[in-house]
Amino acid sequence: MPHTPRQEQGEPDSAPAPRHLSRRRLLLALAGAAALSAVTAGAGRALAAPPPPGARTGRPEPARLSERVRTLVAQLTLDEKTTLLHGATDPMGLGQAGYVPGVPRLGIPPLRLADGPAGVRVARRATALPAPVMLAAAFDPALARAYGQVIGHEGRALGQDVLLSPMVNLIRTPYAGRNFETFSEDPLLSADLVAEEIRGIQAEGLVATVKHLALNNQERDRMSVDVRAGEQTLHETELRGFEAAVAAGAGAVMAAYNKIDGVHATENSTLLTEILRERWGFEGWVMSDWGAVHSTVAAFTAGCDMEMPGGGYYGAALRRAVDDGRIAREAVDTAVARFLAVRERFGLLDEGAARPTRDAAAGARLAFRVATAGATLLRNEAGALPLTGRAARSIAVIGPTGAVPFVSGGGSAHVVPDTATSPLDALRARAGDGATVTYALGEDLYGKPLPPTVPARDLDAVVVAADETWHHEGTLTTAEDDDWSFFVHYGGRRPSVTLDGVELFPLKPGVAEFFAGGIGGRAADGLNLRRADRRLAAGPHTLTVTAQGGAKGQLFRLRAATGATRAADRAEAVAAARAAHSVVLFAYEDATEGRDRTGLALPGRQEDLITAVTAANPRTTVVLNTSSAVTMPWLDGTAAVLQMYYPGQEGAAATAAVLFGDADPGGRLTQTFPASEDRHPTAGDPVRYPGKDGIEEYGEGVHVGHRWYDVNDVTPLFPFGHGLSYTRFTYAGLRVTPVDDGLDVGFTVINTGTRSGVEVAQVYLGPSPDLAALGVDQPRRLLAGYRRLELAPGEPRRVTVRIAARTLSSWDPARHGWTLGTGRRELRVGSSSRAFRLRTETPVGTP
C-alpha cells in the first residue's frame, strides 16, 4: 500500500508439512462450494452446498454476535459508527500505515494497523525477516506458522493491533514489482502457506489481513487496470489462497486497487459479498487498500466495510447517504458489527490490554532459520559448493551487496532492522583468521565524487544550515560521449539538481515518491539516495544545485559514475578474482512496491561484470539478491549460483552458513525462471501484460506458472520446485490409497549421500479424462502435494502425502461449482515440476 506523506504511511495497500486434512477441515475449505458426499459422487455432479446460515445477506447472524457487540452497536450514534469505518491520523504517530479512532465514551480504544509482509513496519526497530518469497521457498507450512508468530508477537509488542499482511496474490508475471512480498506462482502452495502464516499471526493476538482481493498481480497501472479472468481461472488460481485464508480464520480482508470485469474491487459485490461472504462464509471485515475507494454507495453496498486511510467517502459522505436513504442504517450496523466482533475476538475492545515485550533474540533466530531454509542452490558444477579446503581459505568477494547488507525490498515491506551484518563481514568471520578474504566493488551503487566544475565547488559533502538556501551553478565538461549515472545523497528535503536546464531528480507522482527500493533508496550511511541515468555528449553542460536546510539543516552530496569509473571498478574486480582461489560475487535487483520491473536482466552492468569475473576465475559462485526470476546469459561461466532473494537481517550469516556447508541449501523455486525474456507466460502479449487500452486479460487461464511451461512445451531456465542439495536422494515404493476425502500417496525417500540434507518431495497430478470429456480445461500437470524432509546420511523415510478432494476437482463454469475429476489419473513424484522419479496411474471416484 502507499505511504501518505503526513503520516509516512506504508501500504494502504507447528504443524507438519503438508498436514493431513481432517474431514472437518476439508468441509471448512469447501464451505459454500461443496458437500463432501458430492465430491466423491463422480464426474458430472457439481459441488454445491448451501452457504452458512445468515450468509446470504452478507450480515453476521444475530445469534452469533455477543451481547456486548449488540449493545455497543445499539449505543453508538451514526457519527460514531462512521468514525469506526474509516481511517484517520494517529495523534501518537508511531509510523504505522493506518489508524482508526476509538469511541472514548463507550470505552472503545483506537486501532492501529501496520504493514508487515516481512516484519512489522513502524518507526521503531523490528525483526527484519526474509521476504515471504524466501519463506515460501522452504515449502514448509510449519515454518510459515512460526514466521507468523514472530510477526504477531512483535506487532503486539510494538503497539499494533492489525497486520496488513499476508499478501497471497499469485506470482503471475516475473515483472511484477511485489513478487518478493508474496509466496508463489502455485495456488496450492500459496494456499497452504498463507493459512499457516495467518494462524501464527493471530495466535499472538494480532489480526491478520489477507490481501489484495483480487487479481492484483502487478504494480503497473495497479490503480486503474481492468482485469478480465474467466470464472474457472479465478476460482482455480487466484482465489484459492484467499479461500484458504478465510478457512484459517483471517480477521480482515483487503480489497485491491484494480478493477475486475470493469468494476473496482472495492465495488465488486460478486467478489466481496457473493464469493467472500456467501460462498466462503467470511465473518470478518473488509477494508480498502489505501486510496482504493472511489465511491460511497457503490463500495459500501458491495461489501467494503472500511475506507482507508482517510474518510473521503465513508465520513460525511456516508452519513449523508444514510440520511438520504441511499444506504440503510442496518447496513451501517452490519459493517460496524463485523468490525467490533473481530476486535472482541482478539481482545481489542478493552482499554489498556496487556502487550508482550519484544524478544529480539527469538526474532533473529527465526530470521536465520528462514533464510537458510529458503536458500536455493540453482547450480553447483563439480561440487564447487560448499567451500572447503583451499576454496575456503582464499576468497574474493565482489559486488556492492557483498559489502552492504541487502535486507528487504522497498515500499510496504521495508523494516528498520535491529541489526544487519554485511556478507563480507560474515564470510570473513566464518573463514577465520587463517583465510584471506579480499573485496572489490565491481558495480557502483553510490557513485564517485563528481569531476570538478567551473567554477570549482566541492559537492561531495555539503552542509546546509537550518533555514538557509545553498546554491551553485557551474559548467561540467565531458571529454567524450558517455553514459553517466548521477547520484544525490541527502538528509533533508531533496536538493534540486538540473543539467542543461532539466531536473535530474524530479519528485515522482503520487505515492511512487515514497517507494525507492530496498537498497537503491538509501546510501551506506543512511542518507536518502536517488539515481538518474543520462547519455551525455562531449562538451560543456550547465549544472545547477539548490538545497534547502529546512528546520534542522541537512547534509547532501552529488556524485556520478561514468564509463571510466565503471571500467576501473570492473578491472579491480577482475584483478581480485584472478588473485583468489574462489570468488563469491553478489548480484542484485532492487524491487519495490509501486513499480514493476522493466526487464528480467540484472540491472546496471552486472552481466558484464559477471562475464568478466568468471572469465578470469571460473571458480565463481554468484549469489543473487533478487526479488524474482532473472535471466542468466552468463550462467554457463559460473561454478555455482545461489538464490538468496531478500534474506532479512540475518541474511549475511545465513549466506555464509550455506556457502561453507554449515547448512544444506534448503530452498526450492516457487516460481519458474524463464530461459529468456520472450519465453514466459506474459511475454510478447500486451493484452496479458501490462494490458491494452486499460484492459488486461488472463489469457493463460488455469495454466499459471509452471503449468504454462508444461502445456506449451517450453523449457525453462530452472523449473518450479528446482533446488539442489549437498547430498543425493533416491525414491522408491510408490503406492496410492483412496481415502474418503482424496488420495494418500505413499513413497520412500532415501538420503544416499554422506551428508545430512534437505529434500522437497513433490507430487504432481495429471488431468481427468472425464472432465476433459465435459470440456473443462485442465493443466497437463498440477502440484498436488509435497513434503519437506531433512534426512541424515543413509536415512530412509516413508512419506504419505494427502491429495485433497479440492485438488482432485476442477471448477466447472457450466455448473458454477467444483466437480471431482474422475477416471484414471496420472501421478508423478519427484524433485521438481520437470524432474520425476516415480510414476503411476490411479482411478479416482470409482469403486
Side-chain angles (χ1 to χ4, degrees), residues 374-434:
T376 306
L377 185 60
L378 301 179
R379 174 181 170 89
N380 194 21
E381 294 300 294
L385 295 180
L387 299 173
T388 59
R390 187 180 172 195
R393 296 193 299 271
S394 174
I395 305 170
V397 175
I398 295 172
T401 49
V404 178
F406 200 152
V407 175
S408 66
S412 302
H414 177 71
V415 175
V416 181
D418 286 307
T419 183
T421 302
S422 73
L424 175 62
D425 289 341
L427 289 170
R428 282 175 171 163
R430 177 57 183 82
D433 293 338

Side-chain angles (χ1 to χ4, degrees), residues 117 130-141 143-145 147-148 151 165-171 178-198 201 210-211 241 245 627 645 668-671 720:
V133 72
M134 191 170 201
L135 165 69
F139 278 72
D140 188 349
L143 189 60
R145 180 178 287 199
Y147 186 96
I151 298 177
S165 183
M167 176 178 173
V168 75
N169 301 104
L170 293 182
I171 297 175
R178 298 181 79 175
N179 282 348
F180 67 97
E181 283 191 59
T182 192
F183 299 109
S184 168
E185 68 186 21
D186 187 81
L188 172 67
L189 179 61
S190 296
D192 288 349
L193 297 175
V194 76
E196 290 306 315
E197 184 179 343
I198 285 170
I201 292 165
V210 64
K211 64 185 186 184
S627 68
Y645 300 102
R668 304 296 184 265
L669 289 181
T670 69
Q671 57 192 301
F720 174 89

